[in-house]
């Protein structure tokens, strides 16, 4: 069974372990979790979880997704040269001193997309709700 990762706190939901503290028994697939289930660490809903990256890609760096209605921001650590364009251009969204470092609700979607479009390395990309992908 596939593991899922919280995009806010990086908690990993492992179906083999379940979430006994929340009444979810072992061997409960993510898709079978109750609709009102929340992350046991940061209390966000299931919609803030993404499939955990396949371990064979771990050597290529972390991939993080930060979502809100209308937009998912994708950050690929292996591509990032930490030049600071994003943090200087939109510090209310991109702040390396905060966890998570991307506050997807910190600005209008158009502003977030503008800054991502200016990322010189392609480490930041986005996906719109309609499925269009900009990398």
């Amino acid at each position: 069974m596939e593991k899922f990762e919280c995009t806010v706190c990086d908690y990993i939901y492992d179906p083999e372990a379940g979430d006994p503290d929340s009444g979810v028994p072992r061997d409960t697939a993510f898709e079978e979790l109750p609709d009102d289930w929340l992350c046991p660490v940061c209390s966000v809903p299931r919609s803030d979880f993404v499939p955990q990256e396949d371990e064979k890609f771990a050597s290529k760096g972390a991939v993080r997704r930060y979502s809100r209605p209308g937009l998912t921001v994708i950050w690929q650590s292996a591509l990032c040269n930490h030049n600071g364009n994003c943090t200087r251009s939109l510090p209310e969204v991109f702040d390396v001193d905060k966890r998570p470092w991307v506050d997807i609700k910190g600005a209008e979607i158009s502003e977030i997309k503008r800054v991502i479009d200016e990322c010189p390395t392609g480490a930041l990309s986005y996906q719109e709700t309609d499925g269009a992908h900009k990398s």
Side-chain angles (χ1 to χ4, degrees):
M1 284 188 270
E2 188 173 21
K3 296 178 183 178
F4 281 74
E5 182 175 2
C6 178
T7 59
V8 174
C9 72
D10 299 328
Y11 167 81
I12 304 296
Y13 174 75
D14 181 353
E16 290 181 15
D19 182 10
D21 293 338
S22 299
V24 177
R26 297 171 57 91
D27 298 319
T28 300
F30 185 81
E31 297 79 13
E32 296 172 2
L33 289 170
D35 291 336
D36 61 350
W37 181 83
L38 301 173
C39 175
V41 175
C42 68
S43 300
V44 297
R46 289 178 17 187
S47 59
D48 286 333
F49 278 71
V50 295
Q52 186 182 25
E53 295 300 317
D54 192 319
E55 291 179 21
K56 69 183 176 182
F57 297 114
S59 64
K60 296 182 180 179
V63 176
R64 298 282 185 257
R65 291 173 178 82
Y66 307 91
S67 298
R68 77 187 242 190
L71 186 71
T72 295
V73 172
I74 305 156
W75 176 66
Q76 300 176 69
S77 67
L79 299 178
C80 189
N81 68 6
H82 307 288
N83 63 40
N85 285 4
C86 56
T87 57
R88 281 190 305 278
S89 298
L90 202 56
E92 55 271 24
V93 173
F94 303 102
D95 185 343
V96 296
D97 293 325
K98 292 184 179 177
R99 293 294 176 260
W101 80 279
V102 177
D103 178 4
I104 191 74
K105 297 176 183 173
E108 295 294 323
I109 288 176
S110 61
E111 282 299 297
I112 296 171
K113 288 170 37 178
R114 178 188 61 78
V115 170
I116 290 171
D117 287 340
E118 295 170 357
C119 179
T121 65
L124 285 170
S125 60
Y126 61 83
Q127 191 168 22
E128 297 178 282
T129 299
D130 66 6
H133 184 77
K134 162 60 178 109
S135 52

